Amino acid sequence: MPGCERGKIMNKFADLIDENLEELAALETCDVGKVYSFETNVDIPSISKELRYFAGSADKIHGKTLKLSSEFQGYTLLEPIGVVGLIIPWNYPSAMFVLKCAPALAAGCTMVIKPAEQAPLTALYLAHLAKLAGIPNGVLNVVTGFGDTSGAAVASHMDIDCVSFTGSTEVGRLVMQAAATSNLKTVSLELGGKSPLLIFEDANVNQAADLALLGCLANKGEICVCSSRVFVQEGIYDKLVENLVEKLKTWVVGDPFDPSTRQGPQVILELTSKISNYMIILCIDKSIRYGFTLFRYG
């Protein structure tokens, strides 16, 4: 299919996402506990923009013509890699679905998408919208299931040419091993991190506290770029802690469909217990407040 036709279908897919925004937002809220107002205003609207971006590049995939030193001409030709396996995480199910499938669609690849077992609903609904948009049968496929069965099958399948995985370092190693021992498929891994936030004495303490809260509690802390390690210069340490405590007293955790809620439930029950245990352990130290790891330095 010509790139311009792929782009046209992808734009139709984006239109259908916009038309079904509230349905997708509600599914994601039910699935993973995200705040519904954030889903309708930020998360879901962003994915149709991502689709439109890659739709615009579908007919602009060019190689290069090279002037060689002798009387020859060389050129490169970019071609679809083939079948891609896309393994998406539970913290941003819709966003990661589109971030992975949109460039693959633009390039002319077919794909097998494996959503996290904790969050399959939006992936299935997006696949339904993709079919309505006119994406041909067999191009965009969703396979649900657990990581050690469905995910492992994607990573090790001999007919999958590339695998993209977003998740834990532990599972990322298994994906890379499976790719190596099968057909040496191309591997793309995004394994998260733990970013530090440095706050110096000349900072606006109120603004710094707001940024620290956002950095640690955005998306319930279920995000790979959380700045949950906060390094605070000693001169403003106590003032910042007081500011954080006052702000957190107004932080509403509860029903994600309630407009006053700032934070919904964690996606997995076991994570709630794990986080609670972290807070109990950390609060033994006077340097710890509300799950933040605060470090003094002078």
Side-chain angles (χ1 to χ4, degrees), residues 15 67 137 182 227 253 280:
D15 291 341
K67 179 66 177 75
N137 291 338
S182 55
S227 53
V253 180
I280 291 168

Side-chain angles (χ1 to χ4, degrees), residues 122-236:
T122 49
L124 294 168
Y125 194 76
L126 284 166
H128 165 66
L129 296 181
K131 185 175 178 64
L132 294 180
I135 293 177
N137 291 338
V139 170
L140 190 155
N141 312 276
V142 174
V143 177
T144 59
F146 292 92
D148 56 2
T149 52
S150 298
V154 170
S156 61
H157 203 287
M158 295 296 291
D159 291 330
I160 289 180
D161 305 289
C162 169
V163 62
S164 171
F165 170 79
T166 300
S168 70
T169 303
E170 178 186 10
V171 177
R173 288 194 182 99
L174 297 176
V175 170
M176 183 169 279
Q177 288 168 7
T181 56
S182 55
N183 59 346
L184 277 176
K185 58 176 64 66
T186 301
V187 178
S188 174
L189 302 177
E190 197 272 283
L191 307 178
K194 192 169 181 64
S195 307
L197 172 63
L198 277 67
I199 303 176
F200 296 94
E201 287 181 341
D202 59 352
N204 180 311
V205 174
N206 186 60
Q207 184 181 26
D210 284 333
L211 291 172
L213 282 173
L214 177 66
C216 185
L217 299 181
N219 199 48
K220 305 168 290 171
E222 297 170 349
I223 184 171
C224 59
V225 292
C226 271
S227 53
S228 48
R229 291 185 298 151
V230 184
F231 293 81
V232 186
Q233 199 161 1
E234 193 167 22
I236 59 168

Side-chain angles (χ1 to χ4, degrees), residues 1 10 14 16 27 29 49 82 85 87 114 127 132 139 165 188 214 236 244 253 274 280:
M1 182 183 290
M10 291 173 68
L16 288 170
L27 285 172
T29 298
K49 294 175 184 176
I87 304 175
K114 192 276 177 191
L132 294 180
V139 170
F165 170 79
S188 174
L214 177 66
I236 59 168
L244 283 171
V253 180
K274 191 175 183 181
I280 291 168

Side-chain angles (χ1 to χ4, degrees), residues 5-297:
E5 292 299 318
R6 293 200 300 275
K8 190 183 300 182
I9 292 174
M10 291 173 68
N11 276 312
K12 175 62 177 173
F13 189 8
D15 291 341
L16 288 170
I17 289 172
D18 290 337
E19 291 169 17
N20 293 274
L21 183 149
E22 292 183 355
E23 181 80 9
L24 281 162
L27 285 172
E28 190 125 314
T29 298
C30 290
D31 228 4
V32 296
K34 288 171 177 277
V35 175
Y36 179 71
S37 59
F38 180 83
E39 290 303 291
T40 54
N41 293 316
V42 180
D43 224 5
I44 303 303
S46 71
I47 68 176
S48 62
K49 294 175 184 176
E50 291 159 8
L51 258 174
R52 295 186 200 283
Y53 174 85
F54 285 104
S57 66
D59 59 354
K60 302 174 185 67
I61 300 171
H62 307 298
K64 294 180 179 179
T65 302
L66 310 172
K67 179 66 177 75
L68 304 181
S69 57
S70 55
E71 294 182 359
F72 297 97
Q73 188 175 27
Y75 66 91
T76 62
L77 178 65
L78 300 180
E79 297 178 324
I81 197 169
V83 184
V84 297
L86 309 174
I87 304 175
I88 60 178
W90 45 256
N91 60 340
Y92 280 91
S94 297
M96 295 305 300
F97 182 105
V98 172
L99 276 172
K100 289 180 185 291
C101 84
L105 287 171
C109 294
T110 61
M111 65 209 70
V112 178
I113 302 171
K114 192 276 177 191
E117 58 265 29
Q118 301 87 354
L121 296 183
T122 49
L124 294 168
Y125 194 76
L126 284 166
H128 165 66
L129 296 181
K131 185 175 178 64
L132 294 180
I135 293 177
N137 291 338
V139 170
L140 190 155
N141 312 276
V142 174
V143 177
T144 59
F146 292 92
D148 56 2
T149 52
S150 298
V154 170
S156 61
H157 203 287
M158 295 296 291
D159 291 330
I160 289 180
D161 305 289
C162 169
V163 62
S164 171
F165 170 79
T166 300
S168 70
T169 303
E170 178 186 10
V171 177
R173 288 194 182 99
L174 297 176
V175 170
M176 183 169 279
Q177 288 168 7
T181 56
S182 55
N183 59 346
L184 277 176
K185 58 176 64 66
T186 301
V187 178
S188 174
L189 302 177
E190 197 272 283
L191 307 178
K194 192 169 181 64
S195 307
L197 172 63
L198 277 67
I199 303 176
F200 296 94
E201 287 181 341
D202 59 352
N204 180 311
V205 174
N206 186 60
Q207 184 181 26
D210 284 333
L211 291 172
L213 282 173
L214 177 66
C216 185
L217 299 181
N219 199 48
K220 305 168 290 171
E222 297 170 349
I223 184 171
C224 59
V225 292
C226 271
S227 53
S228 48
R229 291 185 298 151
V230 184
F231 293 81
V232 186
Q233 199 161 1
E234 193 167 22
I236 59 168
Y237 178 88
D238 291 328
K239 187 176 180 180
L240 181 76
V241 169
E242 291 171 9
N243 200 308
L244 283 171
V245 171
E246 289 305 309
K247 289 180 184 297
L248 279 163
K249 286 178 180 178
T250 67
W251 197 273
V252 179
V253 180
D255 179 1
F257 286 98
D258 187 331
S260 66
T261 297
R262 295 290 301 274
Q263 181 173 327
Q266 305 302 136
V267 67
I268 305 170
L269 181 60
E270 289 79 2
L271 284 179
T272 306
S273 303
K274 191 175 183 181
I275 292 166
S276 298
N277 289 333
Y278 282 156
M279 292 179 69
I280 291 168
I281 293 167
L282 292 173
C283 286
I284 294 171
D285 188 323
K286 292 180 181 179
S287 300
I288 308 302
R289 299 293 187 276
Y290 288 88
F292 285 86
T293 308
L294 297 171
F295 301 88
R296 292 178 188 264
Y297 65 91

